[in-house]
Amino acid sequence: MICFDTLKKECEEQGLAPDSVPSLKYTLDEQALAEKQSKKSDFIKAVTHFFDKFGSAFQNSPVMAAATDEHGYILHMIGDNSVKKLVTEMGIRNGVQMTVESHGINSPCLALQYNEPVSVVGSQHFHYSLHNSACYSIPIADTQEQKVIGTLSLMTGVDFAHPLLKTLLIIMKESIERELRLMKQNEQLRLLNDLIMDTTTSGMVVSDSTGRIINTNRALERMLKQPRADLLKKSVQDFPCVGSYMDQALKSGTPRLDIETTIRSESSRTATYLLDALPIFDESGTLAGAFAQLRNITRRKETEQLLLNTEKLAAVGQMAASAAHEIRNPLTTIRGFIQLLEPSFHQQEHYNLVLEEIDRINLIVSEFLVLAKPQATSFSWQNIIQILRDTVALSQPQASMHNIQVTADFTSSPLFIHGDENQLKQVFINLFKNGMEAMPDGGILSVSASANEDREAVLHISDTGAGMTAEQIQQLGTPFYTTKKDGTGLGFMVIKRILKQHKGKIAIKSAAGKGTTITLRFSLQSRPVS
Ligand code: ADP
Ligand code: MG
């Protein structure tokens, strides 16, 4: 029980005079008030809502409500204007802190102090000027955290005082605290929802039952390359890519699942997506909206395609290996006999043509054989510089025939790698041949080899020939890709195959019309002990 006589004595002891007008002691400036209000916006919202609801019970009555924070600062006042005016004259307005020092005995302070509903009616107030008012206050708590966050007060004239007003406050308190709990839970759910939506790599869209888009996520923003704000303005009918499927899901009430669709981006790369569009129903089974999800499966698709190609190539390789052996033997016989028959050819040209064609078949067959060979068998220590020297020497005749100057620049120390001599030679021959074939009217073929800091042998093979476009470089290594009349389009495939077995790396730099530089890198091995 609150004893008002004791409280009044305490006021006097503090030097307050009952005939003075309550005076402001602590007032927030505008900015500090706005900050407090925004921190407690849920509270203010709930107070306004319930005051409007219950307030209709005392329509036209001079009643107003005020909300304070847990320190007694008034954050919000609503209700009857005549009471408001009266109260304002008493120095009670937004931003004012209700204290014993300023207002003597006042209900918000007592509610906070005793943590229970309190009424201060008429002469229970210390100041005479407050004797014609009746005030009721109740503490409001965050029930989850079990801490008081402020008070709710009702104020009226002493003629309207009624114990029921305190009961009303108790009911309002329960409603407000329940509402605050719900708001907090909703906010937590919303945060969780946003977190889930934005951390997933799948694109997501949600529409309401009329087809208006109500939510999308970051992944979708990235996939469609459109800002979320723009996407949220759309409806399913004009929503890119997934909209029409969501529309169907809404209209038919049945899901559309596992649809493959493609989106072409500015860089003209097409990405493949797997799409699901589902209708959403609420607990009563009524259509509430639609949901669509997009997953990028481009990688998976590419890998599948690659596997398919690899399998095809492996099969071709196996067939080629047996076919090549079958072809090669009779070819050797035919070549031999044709040479014997030379005198009986009436025209030398025909003889030459037949021999050339046979040699060409031989070349293709040999390249096929390298491709089909499953593994290099004779790996040993190789000085890669020596192999390069041999290959340069081998290429000299073709070079001088086409007016090509070959320059070599090798480090003085040998560069040892682990590999198969013949296969490495094959790589260099193919690269030199390509370089020289790119310079039919002459040029410079430069070959260099040195070691880098990563313990790698680095080889450069450059020509000053036709060069390649970016698309051409992409095509390199595709079987039978050739731009030459007599080309096989297998050279690069052979190079790549051998490099893979040697764990070698290749980089191609080329500019159409300027020339090409091929860089090869192999891991260096320590010098073998002989
Ligand atoms: P081929 O030499 O039988 O055509 P390759 O696989 O060796 O087959 O080369 C494929 C294609 O790549 C060539 O036809 C050519 O268009 C291009 N190419 C390769 N090397 C070079 C180079 N050094 N300069 C210009 N184009 C090249
Ligand atoms: Mg070639």
Side-chain angles (χ1 to χ4, degrees), residues 367 430-431 433-434 437 484 487-492 495:
E367 286 191 337
N430 286 7
L431 287 175
K433 255 183 83 198
N434 280 350
E437 282 163 3
K484 298 167 197 165
T488 62
L490 291 171
F492 239 93
I495 294 169

Side-chain angles (χ1 to χ4, degrees), residues 154-446:
L154 290 177
M155 282 168 272
T156 184
V158 73
D159 305 339
F160 286 88
H162 198 290
L164 266 181
L165 284 174
K166 199 162 142 186
T167 317
L168 182 65
L169 265 188
I170 296 173
I171 300 171
M172 281 174 84
K173 171 190 166 80
E174 271 173 20
S175 307
I176 287 172
E177 286 178 348
R178 192 171 342 108
E179 181 70 14
L180 285 176
R181 206 159 48 232
L182 277 177
M183 281 184 185
K184 202 165 169 186
Q185 277 166 4
N186 277 349
E187 178 60 14
Q188 281 163 347
L189 282 177
R190 194 188 62 76
L191 282 177
L192 187 69
N193 184 43
D194 282 358
L195 189 78
I196 295 172
M197 290 273 280
D198 280 339
T199 46
T200 167
T201 50
S202 300
M204 293 180 176
V205 203
V206 185
S207 83
D208 65 11
S209 60
T210 66
R212 196 173 57 90
I213 302 299
I214 51 177
N215 207 355
T216 65
N217 68 347
R218 248 183 237 146
L220 191 84
E221 196 177 46
R222 280 195 298 268
M223 286 172 184
L224 300 177
K225 301 214 166 41
Q226 287 191 36
R228 203 171 186 169
D230 287 358
L231 291 173
L232 284 174
K233 281 185 204 137
K234 297 182 187 295
S235 72
V236 288
Q237 278 92 2
D238 57 7
F239 200 88
C241 187
V242 292
S244 59
Y245 298 103
M246 290 175 81
D247 197 26
Q248 288 169 23
L250 280 174
K251 283 183 180 141
S252 67
T254 51
R256 303 280 330 260
L257 302 173
D258 289 334
I259 298 155
E260 252 184 61
T261 176
T262 53
I263 301 176
R264 186 177 277 270
S265 69
E266 288 130 36
S267 56
S268 83
R269 248 183 79 96
T270 3
T272 313
Y273 292 90
L274 202 62
L275 184 160
D276 293 329
L278 308 105
I280 308 170
F281 298 99
D282 64 15
E283 290 135 42
S284 64
T286 321
L287 186 70
F291 168 76
Q293 170 173 274
L294 269 181
R295 259 164 302 153
N296 192 333
I297 53 162
T298 316
R299 273 269 175 76
R300 202 167 86 197
K301 277 259 138 193
E302 281 171 359
T303 316
E304 269 171 19
Q305 197 56 44
L306 210 68
L307 270 178
L308 215 67
N309 281 347
T310 316
E311 270 167 34
K312 267 193 224 157
L313 280 179
V316 169
Q318 273 164 9
M319 273 160 54
S322 40
H325 277 295
E326 297 302 321
I327 296 168
R328 205 180 222 179
N329 296 340
L331 268 186
T332 319
T333 322
I334 294 170
R335 201 179 194 281
F337 275 110
I338 287 184
Q339 272 175 322
L340 283 180
L341 285 175
E342 187 180 359
S344 49
F345 269 87
H346 296 307
Q347 289 192 351
Q348 185 67 28
E349 280 165 55
H350 291 169
Y351 172 75
N352 288 344
L353 204 69
V354 173
L355 266 200
E356 271 169 31
E357 288 300 311
I358 290 177
D359 287 343
R360 191 173 139 65
I361 297 172
N362 237 331
L363 175 75
I364 295 179
V365 169
S366 321
E367 286 191 337
F368 255 136
L369 272 176
V370 178
L371 277 178
K373 249 190 210 146
Q375 215 125 53
T377 40
S378 50
F379 262 50
S380 57
W381 301 107
Q382 303 293 339
N383 176 5
I384 206 154
I385 292 184
Q386 193 49 52
I387 304 178
L388 275 174
R389 280 216 179 89
D390 293 349
T391 321
V392 169
L394 216 70
S395 309
Q396 276 305 344
Q398 192 187 349
S400 24
M401 222 161 76
H402 290 280
N403 198 19
I404 292 166
Q405 189 195 339
V406 183
T407 68
D409 176 13
F410 303 135
T411 52
S412 47
S413 47
L415 298 175
F416 283 105
I417 71 157
H418 201 219
D420 179 300
E421 184 184 352
N422 281 333
Q423 294 215 336
L424 289 170
K425 214 174 252 176
Q426 181 80 57
V427 169
F428 303 146
I429 290 173
N430 286 7
L431 287 175
F432 290 4
K433 255 183 83 198
N434 280 350
M436 290 191 286
E437 282 163 3
M439 305 183 284
D441 304 321
I444 302 166
L445 181 77
S446 28

Side-chain angles (χ1 to χ4, degrees), residues 16-25 86-92 101-104 126-130:
L16 295 180
D19 53 357
S20 66
V21 175
S23 61
L24 316 179
K25 286 276 184 320
L86 193 82
V87 159
T88 312
E89 278 164 15
M90 300 296 153
I92 298 175
E101 260 178 296
S102 66
H103 288 85
F126 178 74
H127 292 94
Y128 300 143
S129 55
L130 294 174

